[in-house]
Amino acid sequence: MNNNNKEKIVEMYDNYVLKTYSQNLLFTKGKGAILTDSEGIEYLDFSSGIGVCSLGHCNETVTVAIQKQAEKLVHTSNLFYNELQPKLAKVISENSIGGKVFFANSGAEANEGAIKLARKYGSDKGKYEIICMEEAFHGRTLATLAATGRKKYRKGFAPDLEGFIHVPFNDIDAVKKACSDRTIAIMLEPIQGEGGIRIADYAFLKAVRDFCDKNDLILIFDEVQSGMGRTGELFAYQHSGVVPDIISMAKALGNGFPIAAFEVNKKLENVLTPGTHASTFGGMPLGCAAALAVFEEFDKKEILNMCTETGVYLKKELQQKLQNNSIVKEIRGIGLMIGIEIDGNIQEIIKKVLEKNLIILPSGENVLRLLPPLNITKEEADKAVNIICNVIENLEKK
């Protein structure tokens, strides 16, 4: 594709697409951890499409599964059975909390469903409030936005939907103090992705679990970003052993095909009944085929082990090379969900890194977020480390 074609596409964006994103490059193809732009220039993608393409772009197993299913049946609606939806639900259930699954299309929808279920569970008792964490991010629908603990995302959309209380992350005393006779659930991310790659203390998670058990509260874990192998376990909560009542997932579930889900334990499996919640496209055959192929890849290629080993290596290399850098405050994360906290302008670093053909993301106000494909090579990890360290070191010298 030449520059003239790119200019035409940009012009069409300006004329016909709402300007809700700041965009620059035009990518036309991808393979593994590499994206190629309209000028044929290759970029190493350490964003995975914001944690979506965890098996890399155009993974062969997933691509073939989508192609084959598209030739058979794309969509029927949930008014009818489809042969792949229960197979996928079974795989999810057997690899997580052992419950039942509702399928949706995005993380916000999955979290919205979890919120609705919690409110339905408490409706006969007049309970509807959900305690959430400061700096959390749960989505951009009105309910998930109200649950989100970062005020800048809620600005301009007041009034917030009633029933969400925010407390400091990792503070069990604040959780207990916020609880009232209206409280029905506690909602949190085991690792805050948008909030700075902040990891929940395992002792905090256990204390929250115990508090929920003693007070008949629902514990909801949002694993939209931390789930599907990102931390070296299929779900981040599995590192702690603390099991939620509801878990939401999306992003990497279909490795690029939009599919999401929330799963509930046996206590909650009869709360939502026909007519109380629905999704036209949720769990369509095509999406289920993609997600089943993702699980197939996890089994076949030991993706979780690869993620763990590469994550340890990547974090160690960054720590060693940046340990004496004055603007690096902390390097943290689990598996291949890594944050580099900076005392400075992260947007300048992200821009300079992009100029060296590496894509990384911001998180919070001052954290560089690395979410590469879980199957990246050691050579790709080394290349990313060298670019990031070079940019940060040059910035420190200024």
Side-chain angles (χ1 to χ4, degrees), residues 180-253:
S180 72
D181 57 6
R182 298 182 299 275
T183 305
I184 190 56
I186 300 172
M187 185 175 190
L188 60 88
E189 303 154 279
I191 304 178
Q192 292 187 333
E194 289 284 334
I197 312 298
R198 299 170 71 217
I199 304 167
D201 296 334
Y202 297 161
F204 171 70
L205 294 180
K206 185 179 186 305
V208 172
R209 174 73 276 176
D210 291 344
F211 184 70
C212 287
D213 290 340
K214 290 176 183 176
N215 294 277
D216 191 26
L217 303 178
I218 296 170
L219 180 55
I220 305 170
F221 280 178
D222 174 350
E223 294 238 27
V224 169
Q225 187 167 149
S226 62
M228 290 308 295
R230 176 52 59 186
T231 65
E233 293 284 357
L234 195 62
F235 295 100
Y237 82 83
Q238 292 167 331
H239 291 283
S240 69
V242 176
V243 181
D245 300 304
I246 305 177
I247 182 171
S248 62
M249 63 201 76
K251 285 191 181 290
L253 183 58

Side-chain angles (χ1 to χ4, degrees), residues 2 15 26 158 222 231 247 306 340-341 377 389:
N2 58 40
N15 289 337
L26 170 62
D222 174 350
T231 65
I247 182 171
M306 293 172 64
I340 306 171
E341 187 173 350
T377 65
C389 292

